[in-house]
Amino acid sequence: MSAPRRDLKWWGWGDPAIEPELDAEAVAMLSERVGELTASPRACELEGFELPDPQALPAAVTDAVEPGGVFTSTEDRVRHATGRGYPDLTRLRSGRLPAAPDAVLLPADAGEVRRVLAACAAEGVAVVPFGGGTSVVGGIEPLRGSHERLISLDLARLQDVEVDRRSLTARLGAGLRGPEAESALSSHGMTLGHFPQSFEYATIGGFAATRSAGQASSGYGRFDELVDAVRVIAPAGDLRTIDTPHTAAGPSLRELVVGSEGVFGVIPEVTVRVRPAPEVRRYEGWIAESFEAGAEIVRALAQGPGLPAVIRVSDEEETQVSLGLSGLRGIAGKLFGGYLGLRRRRKGCLIVVGFEGDEESVARGRALAVRELRRGGAAYLGRKAGRSWERARFEGPYLRDTLMGMGALVETLETSHTWSRLGGVKEAVGSAIRESLAAQGTPGIVLCHLSHAYADGASLYFTFIAAARHGEEIAQWDAVKRSASEAIVASGATITHHHAVGRDHAPYMEAEVGQAGLDVLQAVKERLDPTAIMNPGKLLPSRNAATLRN
Ligand SMILES: Cc1cc2nc3c(=O)[nH]c(=O)nc-3n(C[C@H](O)[C@H](O)[C@H](O)COP(=O)(O)OP(=O)(O)OC[C@H]3O[C@@H](n4cnc5c(N)ncnc54)[C@H](O)[C@@H]3O)c2cc1C
């Protein structure tokens, strides 16, 4: 790989060849719920894209990578200037960005990463580590802090793989995307089991830097739970932890690096815990009478016999809308309609349950899960409904581009709390989103599902859709995001279960960790990154106006 990747739509999500359309029935369902939408096509192709002129970089910085490793084309700068949250996509579609990196550097190995950071520290050039660019919280936004110049450090060439079958661990380069890591592991009969919805484009380094959680986290663990050892190359030197299943040697430095979002330095590789690839994967659909009944089933499993690899409960609105918008309408929709008709009910909540492992463990896990599902009043929809969810599990984000083109605001956010407080959080956050949208004259719909469950609680994932206010999309989004974030913080829930902090959640970090917690993180940053070149304006709240979103 001698050039940055260009296989993700530069203006949206996924394979450029795939642009799904909604059929008339789906469009009608949407208009009924959010009102008429006014189409909002993309402003231009890449040729017409407007970017600020790049600043020249010191030779010490550009010479730190091998010749041919520095890229300054409009396309490369655009591709490294934003993540994939709603404001990012809105700006990309507008054909104009207020800020972009001055250049993209593509180091060949960890040695070059070290040289680049040393040169940038000496010359005062800000560095944004770049994995797959899938951040939805402004994590790779080109904020310069107190520096004049900024590079995006694209880690795609860090592709090493070394598997230790006996210990069930693997050392994986930071630049491997989800499918690349899985394919390398599957040639050894292994899997990592980490399948976030951004799996196709996000990287191992990004997963570690953001404490990512995949859809099968109940079975395989979140990414932070899969990390055995990690290293960070910081401007002031390397910090590493040793490969060990556990250590009592003081507070965990592994945990300090995992989730550091590029503000301490660059994670060049991660040693992860892997599993034998499952012999059997069985996905099923169930239907609960209500969201609360579904949540109680998940709680009973988490606190009792244990959770399947995947378990998620959609609320009534999410069930209805996702059946209406997606290909699920055909298969699961019929089953679902049949079920409701039989019981003379209008609504129900979809539960997706996925079991993975060998024949015996799947059969045992399923028997225990089925007992709790039935005890909780859920009805079996069948394997087709589960399989269609599984097949479509990475397709949702493609639809977001379609909806934005139709003139919709579409965004997601997530949090988690303990079981006792989960219902209250759902109510508070859902109301905050609805009220903020209505106050702006664009009443919308709020969908929610429960996933990533634990014995003590679970995460809630919200999606909201409304008519976009043309020309004011980012202000509209900002108002809703702020209301939702304030509701989350007021409920005592976490500002993020897995999307990370980035720029968008940094103002809420004090509520999360307290002033002393912020001071500790700041002190670590000052030790590892004394000239504050690493990813300015992310993770830690900044009072520096230069780091605010443009
Ligand atoms: C459609 C969609 C679906 C998503 N679904 C999920 C989901 O199911 N679960 C989930 O957890 N997240 C999800 N996300 C969020 C995102 O994919 C994750 O945060 C992911 O871990 C980011 O990985 P990345 O390689 O794209 O990192 P980037 O977006 O490139 O970077 C994210 C942050 O990590 C830093 N960083 C990246 N690589 C390194 C490195 N090697 N060393 C140091 N810092 C680094 C960056 O500077 C930035 O601050 C989703 C995003 C999208 C767009």
Side-chain angles (χ1 to χ4, degrees):
M1 189 187 305
S2 53
R5 289 155 154 159
R6 291 180 163 187
D7 55 351
L8 172 68
K9 265 175 216 151
W10 66 265
W11 52 272
W13 183 254
D15 179 346
I18 304 176
E19 287 194 43
E21 285 185 8
L22 286 185
D23 61 22
E25 213 179 313
V27 174
M29 184 274 294
L30 201 63
S31 309
E32 197 183 304
R33 287 176 145 86
V34 303
E36 282 307 310
L37 297 173
T38 313
S40 176
R42 280 188 292 126
C44 63
E45 292 302 327
L46 264 175
E47 292 72 56
F49 208 97
E50 288 176 37
L51 280 183
D53 289 338
Q55 310 260 358
L57 290 170
V61 171
T62 51
D63 291 350
V65 287
E66 65 187 21
V70 180
F71 301 84
T72 54
S73 71
T74 298
E75 174 158 5
D76 290 323
R77 292 177 66 221
V78 167
R79 286 181 173 282
H80 290 78
T82 71
R84 287 295 181 270
Y86 177 77
D88 302 317
L89 299 179
T90 301
R91 283 210 226 98
L92 289 170
R93 297 177 70 91
S94 77
R96 193 176 332 135
L97 285 175
D102 295 315
V104 177
L105 268 63
L106 196 63
D109 53 30
E112 285 196 3
V113 171
R114 212 169 275 119
R115 280 201 290 283
V116 171
L117 296 194
C120 287
E123 301 285 345
V125 176
V127 179
V128 179
F130 183 96
T134 68
S135 170
V136 284
V137 291
I140 56 159
E141 197 130 329
L143 306 176
R144 288 163 197 252
S146 57
H147 307 287
E148 296 275 305
R149 293 151 302 184
L150 177 142
I151 61 158
S152 172
L153 192 60
D154 186 330
L155 302 159
R157 289 184 73 186
L158 307 187
Q159 295 267 325
D160 288 352
V161 177
E162 195 182 296
V163 176
D164 177 351
R165 285 190 63 128
R166 187 167 165 76
S167 311
L168 287 182
T169 62
R171 193 170 58 79
L172 299 177
L176 291 159
R177 283 178 173 168
E180 292 165 343
E182 278 300 326
S183 148
L185 292 172
S186 82
S187 63
H188 296 267
M190 301 289 155
T191 183
L192 183 56
H194 185 67
F195 302 107
Q197 205 181 29
S198 52
F199 171 74
E200 296 163 278
Y201 296 93
T203 62
I204 292 296
F207 296 149
T210 61
R211 306 184 77 93
S212 167
Q215 292 167 341
S217 71
S218 303
Y220 293 92
R222 294 178 315 265
F223 196 82
D224 59 293
E225 296 171 305
L226 301 175
V227 175
D228 178 63
V230 70
R231 184 150 64 94
V232 67
I233 300 174
D238 285 19
L239 174 70
R240 52 115 190 104
T241 69
I242 56 171
D243 284 24
T244 178
H246 181 65
T247 167
S252 171
L253 291 177
R254 184 165 71 196
E255 292 294 310
L256 192 63
V257 171
V258 173
S260 57
E261 301 191 27
V263 306
F264 297 157
V266 170
I267 298 167
E269 63 186 31
V270 188
T271 303
V272 290
R273 304 180 168 117
V274 296
R275 308 259 184 105
E279 286 165 20
V280 179
R281 308 178 74 246
R282 183 184 166 114
Y283 281 72
E284 324 181 327
W286 288 72
I287 178 167
E289 286 188 1
S290 65
F291 181 75
E292 291 70 27
E296 277 305 289
I297 292 169
V298 180
R299 184 173 74 84
L301 282 166
Q303 295 177 346
L307 290 159
V310 172
I311 186 152
R312 45 195 286 138
V313 183
S314 294
D315 71 1
E316 289 172 352
E317 191 78 323
E318 180 170 287
T319 302
Q320 292 296 321
V321 171
S322 50
L323 288 177
L325 288 182
S326 74
L328 281 179
R329 192 171 54 222
I331 303 159
K334 275 190 200 124
L335 296 164
F336 203 77
Y339 165 86
L340 295 177
L342 273 177
R343 284 157 187 78
R344 299 212 175 116
R345 296 192 49 200
R346 292 187 57 236
K347 290 185 171 174
C349 292
L350 183 64
I351 306 182
V352 172
V353 194
F355 306 93
E356 300 196 3
D358 57 31
E359 292 274 3
E360 194 192 332
S361 67
V362 165
R364 198 174 47 237
R366 182 170 187 274
L368 294 168
V370 166
R371 196 184 64 196
E372 291 301 338
L373 282 154
R374 294 217 184 282
R375 202 178 270 167
Y380 185 54
L381 275 183
R383 293 184 71 175
K384 274 188 184 164
R387 273 203 296 265
S388 53
W389 175 84
E390 194 191 359
R391 263 199 304 274
R393 66 197 288 186
F394 303 127
E395 287 174 9
Y398 286 83
L399 208 53
R400 182 175 52 163
D401 292 332
T402 308
L403 292 169
M404 286 182 72
M406 289 165 59
L409 179 164
V410 194
E411 180 63 312
T412 63
L413 52 88
E414 39 72 50
T415 182
S416 70
H417 212 333
T418 49
W419 290 112
S420 311
R421 308 283 298 278
L422 211 59
V425 176
K426 180 172 185 294
E427 179 55 35
V429 177
S431 301
I433 299 172
R434 262 182 231 102
E435 283 164 21
S436 175
L437 285 169
Q440 300 185 69
T442 53
I445 45 177
V446 182
L447 324 177
C448 181
H449 67 252
L450 179 155
S451 52
H452 310 294
Y454 310 92
D456 52 346
S459 111
L460 293 174
Y461 186 97
F462 296 88
T463 304
F464 51 96
I465 309 176
R469 274 170 39 205
H470 292 297
E472 295 175 357
E473 291 91 344
I474 294 181
Q476 180 189 15
W477 167 87
D478 198 47
V480 184
K481 178 76 181 175
R482 199 167 320 138
S483 301
S485 301
E486 284 166 7
I488 287 172
V489 167
S491 308
T494 177
I495 192 65
T496 173
H497 172 269
H498 58 268
H499 280 169
V501 179
R503 195 214 67 110
D504 298 343
H505 295 148
Y508 305 96
M509 275 298 274
E510 187 179 347
E512 183 89 20
V513 301
Q515 188 56 49
L518 286 180
D519 293 345
V520 169
L521 291 174
Q522 185 62 39
V524 174
K525 178 165 174 70
E526 282 165 19
R527 167 64 182 82
L528 293 173
D529 176 26
T531 51
I533 57 165
M534 295 307 307
N535 214 3
K538 320 296 161 42
L539 182 62
L540 295 161
S542 168
R543 286 183 195 90
N544 181 350
T547 65
L548 294 176
R549 191 189 278 277
N550 290 282

